[in-house]
Amino acid sequence: MKRPFLSFFIVIVLSLLSFGAFATEKGIIRGKVVEEDGALPVAYASVVLYNALVEQPSLANTQTDENGFFKLTNVKPGTYKIKVSYVGFTNLVVNEIFITDKEFDKNLGTLKLSSEANSLTEVVVTAPKPLVEFGADVITYNVGSSILAEGSTATDILKNVPMVQVDIDGNATISGKRSTRIFIDGKPSDYMTSNIADLLNVLPSDAIEKIEVMTNPPSKYSGDGEGILNIVMKKGFKVGFNGNVGITAGVQGNTNTNANASYKGKNYNINGSGAFRQNIGKGNSESYRTNFFPDTTFYYNQFNNNRNEGNGGNFRLGFDWDITPKQGLRFSTNYNINNNNNIAGNDFYYLNEAQIATRLRNQQNLGEGHSNNFVFNADYNLQTDTSGGKLSMGITFNTNKNNDLRSYNRTYAFPSNLNPSLQQNDNEVSNRGLNFNLDYDKPVFNKRDQLEFGIAYNYRKNDNDLLVQNFNFKNQEYITDQNLTNKFFYNENILSGYASYNYRKKGWGLKGGVRAEYTDVNFDLSTGTNYHVNPYLSLFPNFSINHFFKKRYNFGATYSVRINRPRENALNPQVNNSDTLNISYGNPNLSPAYTHQMDFSFGAFGKKWSFTPRISYSTSKGVIERYRMVKSNGISESTFDNVGTNYSMAFMLIGNFRPTNKISANGNFSVIQSRYASKINSSLNRDGLSVRASMGFSMQLPYKTAFESNLNYANNINAQGRNKGSINSSFGARKSFFKNTLSARISTNDPFGRRNNNSFNQGSNFTSQSYSTNNSSNVSFSLNYRFTKVKTNKVAIPPPPSKK
């Protein structure tokens, strides 16, 4: 399996190398100028080129076009700076622009002009991108500015992103949001894989440019989920051939190797990456359940241990082509594989009312799993007119397969007269999907506004084939269990349309839009049971207002409606009896849940600090959560249900402090008050507080050395109880060598103890307390080599966050 992909990647790298011989274009400096408030393009701004050491006379000058783009050509090798100016805006100076024979096309990216007319000073850009940027309804985490991101995966990075929590299974959520969707390059990743956690656990951090936390996603995004985490991949931006290779090894036995390369020519870019990861997971847990019944009370105690060995690979290839100055085409592919082997043990004690153990069952679990997914994207962009009109069209095709084979060997230590059992589950899952979108946006009044509208179609097909067999000890053969064996077929069609309008002027920003989605879902079992959900139309209004004033304050308010659709994992009624005393299954009668959410934010910014408190209120009707019941025989059954209405009030504090240009600290703290009201069971009528906090610190040290650390904590309430986690920590130090082409890093996770998780659940006739730990404590070493010469790579010392 590995050799074809290794050969494939070698061919890519050799092809990219061969293209390098054609890089002969003269020096170019290019970029785009936009307003700081609203990111609207600034047309006809003056762009003047200077020698870095002499301001006068100027060497060249130009103006931005109607869309804010500029281009300076025929620039000789050297060190330069540019000054960008426009009436009514603060001048912007960009220093340290290097043009060399190898790097002759310098793309400065997006340059933002402040609209404060009374400011007499210039903004000088000399620092790298800040680690975190704050906006009214989006937080941007620039991955390349974190030394802990080198040699890591998307899962590792998400643990350090403000307002994001990653649970023990690798699932990421936004603080205060029960349903969070993961997007990759603006496309929903849940259409790309049957297990998002597996995809994030192997996606290399070196291929990621930034992560966007959207608490109030724009109307052009799907209405699913109460928030979106958008992972933006690197596209390759330097002219010529460049890239890097890296390897990471940890004392726990975890390893990660990755490589990426790109070549940029005059009007095209080719980029590719590959990564392979091996990991070993160990953990143990224990749970204590008390069962209350009118005539008796008895107890179930369980003690578990597990070991999992897994490996996976991720391979990406992209091609960008600027067909003409007004139109471009982009292709990208992604192939992901995961394999794992698992062994687990379980000791189950039954205690009577006197708390005397009357039964002890031992269970050994063996399993192996294999999964792969393939994604193909094609996007076309066209500038339709000189006033800024832009048409975008995209199509995504995906397919993935997952096979999971498990065996459960159950024996009884006492009483000895109970018969043993041996069960084998073979679960094969396949997904296919097709997404299409067509978008158009255009400024209407003097480029201070933006009108957007578009349509989208999403199709998804899921087949879940479950084969359950029980071993017949008398005949020494497996016999199919007809009660549990079946196939689940799921089809989903969603047709969408949206329109939105964005207006910016004199520090004010107004945005409004509405999205309509028509959903048609049907699913059935091979047993002959058919389900067809009545098609339904949903409307999702979205409004926001933002005001920046007195050069240091920012106020924002948003309102939106979101939906949590029940999908195959929650609808599938197939029974999972891997633990026969705690079985689970889906609920085919689920209804979609709608959330109305409002957010208020206030930001204050100084030269060395920023402080952004937020208040969020939401009402969710028909909340979908897992719900547990205990039958009279003591067997626990858990399924999904529309447990009721949840009223949530969240207060969040996000801050950054930069006492010097070499030290930076950032942190966020949130308290969320949740109140559940349910008609299912009075035990679900509960309220309580959830607390989440994180803190980060970075320091630039002498001799090209840098240090960074992060701490995270979470304590969350749910419909039936509470989940409490321990403090998770990570520390890292990096040093650069050989003119910054080689860097070495040492990092440690949870050096003060293993990661712990505690949970408490309560129903009408039971209480349950669970404790778990895993081998999160680890020390790892990384080496990373860059193909091209780069400037000093320092830890990003975040300037005051941009006032979006």
Side-chain angles (χ1 to χ4, degrees):
M1 177 69 71
K2 299 177 184 177
R3 291 183 178 177
F5 294 108
L6 180 60
S7 301
F8 177 69
F9 189 71
I10 291 175
V11 170
I12 295 173
V13 173
L14 292 177
S15 299
L16 293 174
L17 283 169
S18 66
F19 287 132
F22 298 101
T24 58
E25 188 180 356
K26 298 290 186 179
I28 297 174
I29 299 175
R30 68 178 83 212
K32 182 180 181 180
V33 181
V34 302
E35 292 184 34
E36 187 173 46
D37 295 326
L40 295 175
V42 178
Y44 310 114
S46 173
V47 181
V48 183
L49 178 69
Y50 299 96
N51 184 288
L53 302 178
V54 182
E55 184 167 340
Q56 297 294 340
S58 63
L59 301 177
N61 63 81
T62 187
Q63 285 187 327
T64 58
D65 63 15
E66 295 88 346
N67 298 307
F69 290 99
F70 69 88
K71 182 177 181 181
L72 295 163
T73 58
N74 297 318
V75 182
K76 297 179 180 180
T79 304
Y80 301 93
K81 65 180 179 180
I82 66 168
K83 179 185 289 186
V84 183
S85 59
Y86 190 73
V87 176
F89 291 84
T90 302
N91 292 342
L92 175 70
V93 176
V94 182
N95 286 323
E96 297 181 350
I97 304 172
F98 297 95
I99 299 296
T100 66
D101 291 333
K102 294 183 178 180
E103 285 192 76
F104 53 85
D105 191 340
K106 179 66 66 174
N107 190 340
L108 303 179
T110 301
L111 306 178
K112 300 177 181 180
L113 293 184
S114 170
S115 58
E116 292 300 303
N118 58 348
S119 175
L120 300 178
T121 60
E122 292 181 336
V123 177
V124 181
V125 179
T126 57
K129 282 186 177 181
L131 182 62
V132 183
E133 297 179 273
F134 302 105
D137 47 16
V138 63
I139 295 175
T140 301
Y141 185 88
N142 294 305
V143 175
S145 299
S146 169
I147 66 173
L148 289 173
E150 287 185 356
S152 302
T153 65
T155 301
D156 300 321
I157 301 171
L158 285 166
K159 295 176 182 177
N160 300 317
V161 176
M163 291 185 65
V164 175
Q165 179 191 2
V166 180
D167 66 17
I168 194 171
D169 297 317
N171 299 304
T173 56
I174 300 175
S175 295
K177 312 295 183 183
R178 283 167 304 280
S179 56
T180 300
R181 298 191 77 192
I182 310 295
F183 279 49
I184 297 179
D185 283 337
K187 305 291 180 69
S189 66
D190 47 3
Y191 290 121
M192 303 178 187
T193 177
S194 57
N195 191 336
I196 298 174
D198 284 345
L199 174 63
L200 299 179
N201 193 49
V202 77
L203 191 63
S205 61
D206 302 86
I208 301 174
E209 178 180 345
K210 60 184 178 180
I211 296 176
E212 298 172 329
V213 183
M214 300 182 185
T215 54
N216 182 30
S219 296
K220 70 179 299 181
Y221 287 96
S222 166
D224 276 289
E226 297 175 24
I228 288 176
L229 295 175
N230 185 35
I231 300 174
V232 180
M233 308 302 295
K234 291 179 180 177
K235 310 299 188 299
F237 53 90
K238 293 182 180 179
V239 170
F241 177 69
N242 62 91
N244 68 274
V245 294
I247 183 171
T248 299
V251 297
Q252 291 279 11
N254 298 3
T255 61
N256 187 334
T257 58
N258 64 84
N260 64 75
S262 67
Y263 175 78
K264 183 174 178 62
K266 181 178 180 180
N267 62 347
Y268 65 90
N269 173 67
I270 302 176
N271 57 83
S273 68
F276 185 78
R277 178 181 176 90
Q278 291 181 300
N279 58 281
I280 299 176
K282 302 175 185 177
N284 56 73
S285 63
E286 52 191 77
S287 64
Y288 306 89
R289 174 152 56 94
T290 302
N291 308 281
F292 304 99
F293 290 94
D295 56 343
T296 185
T297 298
F298 56 95
Y299 308 88
Y300 284 162
N301 297 340
Q302 287 183 266
F303 301 89
N304 311 290
N305 61 81
N306 66 82
R307 175 187 173 90
N308 184 81
E309 296 183 5
N311 61 70
N314 181 272
F315 305 90
R316 303 179 65 88
L317 179 65
F319 176 74
D320 297 351
W321 179 28
D322 297 327
I323 304 172
T324 69
K326 294 185 177 182
Q327 59 179 330
L329 188 63
R330 180 188 172 209
F331 298 100
S332 66
T333 63
N334 178 85
Y335 184 78
N336 199 75
I337 56 174
N338 280 281
N339 304 285
N340 69 81
N341 289 281
N342 179 273
I343 180 172
N346 171 278
D347 295 327
F348 174 84
Y349 291 85
Y350 170 86
L351 291 81
N352 61 18
E353 194 165 17
Q355 297 195 27
I356 297 174
T358 61
R359 187 187 307 167
L360 170 58
R361 189 193 72 185
N362 306 118
Q363 177 171 309
Q364 291 294 321
N365 303 335
L366 296 175
E368 61 178 75
H370 309 278
S371 67
N372 64 82
N373 68 278
F374 173 78
V375 181
F376 173 80
N377 282 297
D379 295 281
Y380 174 77
N381 297 299
L382 173 66
Q383 180 181 327
T384 59
D385 52 56
T386 58
S387 61
K390 182 181 177 182
L391 179 70
S392 303
M393 181 173 62
I395 187 169
T396 301
F397 169 77
N398 69 276
T399 177
N400 67 78
K401 294 183 178 180
N402 180 76
N403 179 255
D404 194 23
L405 180 63
R406 306 286 165 178
S407 65
Y408 311 102
N409 187 7
R410 306 178 181 106
T411 59
Y412 291 88
F414 62 86
S416 58
N417 62 334
L418 296 178
N419 294 325
S421 66
L422 178 59
Q423 178 181 317
Q424 182 172 280
N425 290 12
D426 188 0
N427 195 194
E428 295 185 1
V429 180
S430 65
N431 281 286
R432 292 182 296 278
L434 181 68
N435 301 337
F436 171 80
N437 66 277
L438 182 65
D439 305 281
Y440 181 75
D441 60 86
K442 177 182 175 64
V444 181
F445 302 111
N446 299 322
K447 300 187 181 296
R448 296 296 178 265
D449 64 350
Q450 197 80 6
L451 176 65
E452 298 178 304
F453 53 89
I455 58 174
Y457 170 70
N458 299 320
Y459 168 74
R460 184 172 185 178
K461 178 180 177 61
N462 173 275
D463 295 338
N464 190 320
D465 187 355
L466 176 62
L467 172 64
V468 180
Q469 294 178 309
N470 296 312
F471 189 73
N472 186 308
F473 288 91
K474 181 179 180 180
N475 299 327
Q476 293 293 297
E477 64 178 358
Y478 280 101
I479 299 176
T480 300
D481 187 332
Q482 299 296 340
N483 294 323
L484 298 178
T485 297
N486 52 57
K487 296 181 180 180
F488 176 76
F489 306 100
Y490 175 88
N491 289 277
E492 176 184 274
N493 294 270
I494 301 176
L495 181 62
S496 325
Y498 77 93
S500 66
Y501 181 74
N502 182 12
Y503 182 76
R504 298 276 180 175
K505 187 175 183 180
K506 295 183 178 180
W508 285 93
L510 301 174
K511 183 192 300 182
V514 63
R515 184 180 184 89
E517 295 184 349
Y518 179 81
T519 305
D520 184 14
V521 172
N522 62 81
F523 52 95
D524 58 76
L525 294 173
S526 60
T527 55
T529 306
N530 299 314
Y531 304 88
H532 187 87
V533 180
N534 290 329
Y536 54 93
L537 178 66
S538 304
L539 295 177
F540 306 103
N542 184 306
F543 303 100
S544 69
I545 182 172
N546 188 56
H547 181 44
F548 176 70
F549 56 99
K550 294 186 177 179
K551 297 189 291 183
R552 63 185 308 171
Y553 301 108
N554 185 55
F555 169 79
T558 68
Y559 167 78
S560 64
V561 177
R562 308 290 294 174
I563 187 175
N564 183 15
R565 290 183 178 87
R567 288 198 161 89
E568 60 269 31
N569 291 335
L571 295 168
N572 187 353
Q574 292 175 333
V575 175
N576 179 355
N577 72 333
S578 58
D579 182 347
T580 57
L581 298 171
N582 294 278
I583 67 174
S584 62
Y585 47 86
N587 180 2
N589 298 312
L590 289 174
S591 300
Y594 293 90
T595 299
H596 297 255
Q597 55 189 30
M598 294 177 287
D599 293 278
F600 303 91
S601 64
F602 177 81
F605 309 92
K607 291 183 178 180
K608 297 182 177 181
W609 58 273
S610 67
F611 181 63
T612 310
R614 292 171 178 248
I615 296 176
S616 175
Y617 177 78
S618 66
T619 301
S620 300
K621 294 184 178 180
V623 174
I624 300 174
E625 287 195 14
R626 186 171 287 280
Y627 170 58
R628 176 188 281 189
M629 305 156 287
V630 174
K631 301 298 184 180
S632 58
N633 59 3
I635 295 178
S636 166
E637 297 185 7
S638 64
T639 186
F640 293 92
D641 214 324
N642 297 101
V643 297
T645 301
N646 179 64
Y647 305 91
S648 178
M649 174 73 77
F651 177 62
M652 289 164 276
L653 299 176
I654 305 172
N656 172 270
F657 178 57
R658 192 166 53 94
T660 72
N661 62 353
K662 295 184 177 182
I663 298 176
S664 177
N666 63 81
N668 66 91
F669 174 79
S670 63
V671 178
I672 306 164
Q673 170 69 40
S674 298
R675 180 169 64 89
Y676 287 89
S678 175
K679 297 180 180 180
I680 296 178
N681 194 301
S682 60
S683 65
L684 298 178
N685 294 323
R686 66 174 64 243
D687 60 78
L689 293 175
S690 297
V691 178
R692 300 178 184 178
S694 67
M695 182 170 61
F697 176 81
S698 62
M699 176 184 295
Q700 180 186 328
L701 301 172
Y703 307 108
K704 299 181 180 179
T705 306
F707 171 81
E708 187 174 304
S709 64
N710 286 281
L711 299 174
N712 297 276
Y713 172 78
N715 188 331
N716 307 309
I717 190 175
N718 57 43
Q720 277 195 291
R722 177 177 295 277
N723 297 318
K724 180 181 179 181
S726 58
I727 295 177
N728 306 311
S729 58
S730 57
F731 302 86
R734 182 185 62 193
K735 180 174 175 56
S736 299
F737 304 89
F738 306 120
K739 297 182 179 181
N740 303 302
T741 59
L742 179 69
S743 65
R745 185 200 67 174
I746 180 172
S747 61
T748 177
N749 292 320
D750 295 330
F752 307 114
R754 308 175 78 188
R755 183 173 183 179
N756 301 308
N757 286 272
N758 304 330
S759 64
F760 173 79
N761 286 276
Q762 182 179 25
S764 59
N765 60 354
F766 77 94
T767 60
S768 176
Q769 190 84 30
S770 300
Y771 308 89
S772 66
T773 64
N774 66 13
N775 64 327
S776 59
S777 300
N778 192 24
V779 178
S780 60
F781 304 87
S782 301
L783 286 175
N784 190 75
Y785 176 73
R786 296 179 178 83
F787 297 167
T788 54
K789 181 180 179 180
V790 295
K791 296 194 302 175
T792 302
N793 190 11
K794 303 175 181 178
V795 170
I797 305 300
S802 58
K803 302 169 280 295
K804 297 180 181 179

